Amino acid sequence: DQQVKQNSPSLSVQEGRISILNCDYTNSMFDYFLWYKKYPAEGPTFLISISSIKDKNEDGRFTVFLNKSAKHLSLHIVPSQPGDSAVYFCAASYSGNTGKLIFGQGTTLQVKP
Amino acid sequence: NAGVTQTPKFRVLKTGQSMTLLCAQDMNHEYMYWYRQDPGMGLRLIHYSVGEGTTAKGEVPDGYNVSRLKKQNFLLGLESAAPSQTSVYFCASSYSESADTQYFGPGTRLTVL
């Protein structure tokens, strides 16, 4: 039972344009959501997060939107840069869960120059 | 400050052999986690520890054992390796239960023939 799903295995965008990565979840207990970025042969690195009490969080070129009624979140990257090419994982957690993360399958983003 | 390190980086085992993966962190973190990453599956939690001398099962613990004898080290053991354990293993550590504070190691690529 996949509680966190990223239905698009890959995404290709042109440099300078917007990248939108999507994530859906099924567990209503989740109250904290994160995006991790992973380059080949490296471990995932934290990118941005959002609490369920918010519907938007921004950090520079990265914005995460949360739609609790639809159990959906998205990561927007504007403008996209070639260095953003990586695998992006959506993850979720809930309070009191000792920090355990449930990850989605990942989306490979390619930003073309 | 090396962060989270993993030993070895690569390993090939034959079915039935045993091995131990070592994770070390120099950030004085209380929480440590072992994940495995498989194609199309994202990262899945194997075991975790909330402090020295403690361990607990995650989402996919079967076939693995762990130990946390020292705060800085978290060992993952495979007593009798199986081809289904071919994967990339990531260790992570965190100073608190807050999910966005997990720092990941570079991973160990294990192949079981």
Side-chain angles (χ1 to χ4, degrees):
Chain A
D1 178 28
Q2 192 81 21
Q3 297 184 66
V4 178
K5 297 181 182 180
Q6 294 175 255
N7 292 317
S8 298
S10 62
L11 174 68
S12 181
V13 300
Q14 209 65 34
E15 180 179 5
R17 305 294 292 270
I18 184 172
S19 296
I20 300 176
L21 294 88
N22 295 303
C23 178
D24 297 297
Y25 63 95
T26 58
N27 190 337
S28 298
M29 289 184 65
F30 290 144
D31 59 8
Y32 202 76
F33 304 89
L34 309 90
W35 286 93
Y36 278 82
K37 178 179 181 179
K38 184 185 177 307
Y39 292 117
E42 295 183 10
T45 55
F46 169 72
L47 185 59
I48 191 170
S49 62
I50 187 167
S51 164
S52 60
I53 62 173
K54 295 184 177 181
D55 54 18
K56 177 182 176 182
N57 188 28
E58 287 182 84
D59 184 0
R61 296 185 297 113
F62 304 91
T63 302
V64 57
F65 295 92
L66 175 62
N67 183 332
K68 290 185 289 294
S69 60
K71 294 190 175 67
H72 177 84
L73 63 155
S74 60
L75 174 68
H76 293 211
I77 307 174
V78 184
S80 300
Q81 300 173 353
D84 296 329
S85 297
V87 178
Y88 289 80
F89 289 100
C90 169
S93 184
Y94 57 89
S95 302
N97 197 31
T98 58
K100 296 196 293 287
L101 297 175
I102 308 298
F103 282 85
Q105 306 96 310
T107 296
T108 300
L109 173 65
Q110 182 185 27
V111 180
K112 298 179 179 179
Chain B
N1 190 339
V4 180
T5 59
Q6 293 183 232
T7 309
K9 288 185 169 50
F10 303 93
R11 186 73 185 267
V12 178
L13 289 179
K14 294 182 179 179
T15 297
Q17 288 185 318
S18 64
M19 79 162 294
T20 300
L21 282 68
L22 171 64
C23 176
Q25 51 93 5
D26 60 3
M27 297 174 283
N28 201 34
H29 286 173
E30 290 292 339
Y31 295 72
M32 296 187 76
Y33 310 84
W34 274 108
Y35 294 89
R36 59 177 288 176
Q37 184 196 0
D38 302 293
M41 299 290 287
L43 281 79
R44 292 180 293 168
L45 183 66
I46 304 171
H47 285 281
Y48 65 100
S49 168
V50 300
E52 181 178 316
T54 75
T55 62
K57 294 180 180 179
E59 187 182 350
V60 288
D62 294 343
Y64 305 94
N65 55 74
V66 287
S67 64
R68 183 98 182 268
L69 298 179
K70 292 182 179 181
K71 186 177 184 178
Q72 64 267 33
N73 295 337
F74 195 27
L75 278 64
L76 178 71
L78 288 74
E79 289 187 349
S80 179
S84 60
Q85 294 178 304
T86 294
S87 188
V88 181
Y89 292 86
F90 290 101
C91 175
S93 72
S94 172
Y95 62 79
S96 77
E97 194 176 301
S98 175
D100 65 357
T101 57
Q102 286 193 29
Y103 297 86
F104 282 81
T108 294
R109 182 173 294 276
L110 175 66
T111 302
V112 183
L113 303 175

